[in-house]
Amino acid sequence: MEATNAYAQDHGHDHPTGLMRWITTTNHKDIGTLYLWFSFIMLLAGGCLALLIRAELFQPGLQIVTPEFFNQLTTLHGLIMVFGAIMPAMVGFANWQVPMMIGAPDMAFPRMNNWSFWLLPVAAIMLVSSFFVPGGASAGGWTMYPPLFLQGGISNDMTIFAVHILGISSIMGAINIVTTILNMRAPGMTLMKMPLFVWTWLITAYLLIAVMPVLAGTVTMLLTDRHFGTNFFNAAGGGDPVMFQHIFWFFGHPEVYIMILPAFGIISQIIPAFARKPLFGYASMVYATASIAILSFIVWAHHMFTTGMPTSAQLFFMYATMLIAVPTGVKVFNWVATMWRGSMTFETPMLFAIGFVCLFTIGGFTGLVCAITPVDIQIQDTYYVVAHFHYVLVSGSLYAIFAGVYFWLPKWTGHMYNEKLGKLHFWLSTIFFNVLFFPMHFLGLAGMPRRIPDYALQFADFNALATVGAFGFGLSQLILLVGVIKCIKGGEKAAGRTWEGADSLEWTHLPSPPPYHSFVTPPVVK
Ligand code: CU1
């Protein structure tokens, strides 16, 4: 075949098209797009499981599912959302934005990048299809605790292998991101000039490299306990089930920050753009991010206060956990200080960013409540904890993802998204999110346990309310889908410099508050 372009001269054939383009792509933008669509599909899948859970909990008693199936739903909802929806979305953003933000032509290892992505559907299929094997999916919760996880059928093994594959994908993705950032910055792009999103991902990638092997190790120990006669976690054979919790949460707590640090990065890009001021306290943002990452390694046993531990250990893990509020507070302060006296406008990305700051902070505060050991012993495994981590992960990570999608869609597609739809998506999401999760604080404080398909009559009203919120929130996400598809297919052409360049690097190094002439005055979007 005639060589028709530079690609063809190098490779002896033209660019693959259609499905083959996506399967063979080594382009960071294509791979970013794949990650983001995969993540959206997983969000809908995990969301459907959540709606089944909420449908069952609409009223006390058992109406829709069996208790066994209910537990399978909670397990798979957690695994799918953590590993399928949130993490891949953040990697998708990294693929799209990191090379462009540091002036690199692509990721450092483009073929490994392709492989990192294409492992994900394999793992997802393994995970989701475990619903259909004899005995059904894993029912022991996404944390896979023994002794329950040592029993059960082949679905537990499928879950373990899925986690292995997801871990390989994450480690390869993280290696790619670290290498790209450390080796491929444009001349002059020193570390302390990098956009905050790049910084947060550099630190996140180190977290991934540090803890994914720990997760892989501990689920492998589960596997050998199940099939090869070891007794790591089997008390009957002299093993220690609580040891699993220690190892798991040594991964699990940093995992929380793997899901939230890139979100911090996205928010730190968006707020300066719509406040038309440089980020307040750039250096302190970098140090706060690093501090949070380091502290995240020494707090794991705050998930285990009821397993029985010495008072000295309880005190250590309580205070260490509370310490994380300090750098997190620095960040919230900086975001607010960035908005302070800025010429703000409230397009959809900014709405989601402000929603993030308000609602994520509620999740942060309830985290402090949970950190207080005597309080935690009361509310462990109640809906208070469920409320807490959904404020962190939904109005935190997911809101940042939404904000970033609206912020960068014009750059990615060349088209403006529909602002009316975007705002509708934000307001409906925010109203229903709070209707869904705020009552769970009260349910938890009143003693309603999590992972239970039936409950006492006293909890009926708040549960009905939460279910209404859940269906409202779920349906609202279809607005996002419509908005994104419309934006890809056409719509108003995006300006050459989206948001009047307010998202570009020139904001990174101005002092805050900026000199008068550097304000960009007119609002950007009609
Ligand atoms: Cu934690």
Side-chain angles (χ1 to χ4, degrees), residues 342-518:
S343 47
M344 298 214 286
T345 53
F346 300 93
E347 292 87 354
T348 310
M350 185 60 157
L351 289 177
F352 273 109
I354 294 173
F356 174 101
V357 174
C358 299
L359 297 172
F360 169 79
T361 304
I362 294 178
F365 273 124
T366 56
L368 273 179
V369 175
C370 294
I372 304 166
T373 310
V375 175
D376 186 75
I377 288 169
Q378 297 302 311
I379 58 178
Q380 157 105 31
D381 268 338
T382 70
Y383 262 85
Y384 192 88
V385 179
V386 177
H388 155 66
F389 68 74
H390 283 90
Y391 269 80
V392 171
L393 290 173
V394 180
S395 61
S397 306
L398 190 63
Y399 264 41
I401 290 166
F402 290 159
V405 164
Y406 285 109
F407 189 51
W408 284 312
L409 258 182
K411 197 163 255 177
W412 296 343
T413 65
H415 299 131
M416 225 29 223
Y417 62 87
N418 183 314
E419 192 65 58
K420 278 208 181 84
L421 278 182
K423 285 187 168 143
L424 187 69
H425 176 221
F426 169 76
W427 284 111
L428 288 180
S429 292
T430 301
I431 292 165
F432 285 124
F433 167 81
N434 285 291
V435 173
L436 163 56
F437 290 114
F438 207 81
M440 290 185 188
H441 294 107
F442 306 132
L443 287 170
L445 290 173
M448 179 170 163
R450 61 191 290 204
R451 294 173 175 167
I452 298 283
D454 187 10
Y455 50 83
L457 269 179
Q458 67 185 105
F459 304 127
D461 292 349
F462 282 136
N463 270 294
L465 193 61
T467 297
V468 171
F471 278 83
F473 186 80
L475 290 174
S476 303
Q477 304 322 309
L478 299 179
I479 304 171
L480 172 68
L481 181 62
V482 172
V484 169
I485 290 174
K486 276 172 74 108
C487 183
I488 293 170
K489 288 205 160 162
E492 189 192 336
K493 211 168 173 309
R497 306 184 69 203
T498 324
W499 314 119
E500 302 223 331
D503 58 329
S504 68
L505 300 181
E506 70 197 50
W507 290 107
T508 318
H509 296 296
L510 289 174
S512 184
Y516 177 74
H517 65 268
S518 68

Side-chain angles (χ1 to χ4, degrees), residues 269-291:
Q269 300 298 132
I270 292 175
I271 287 180
F274 293 92
R276 290 163 185 81
K277 272 176 66 192
L279 186 69
F280 184 89
Y282 172 89
S284 69
M285 281 304 216
V286 173
Y287 298 133
T289 310
S291 314

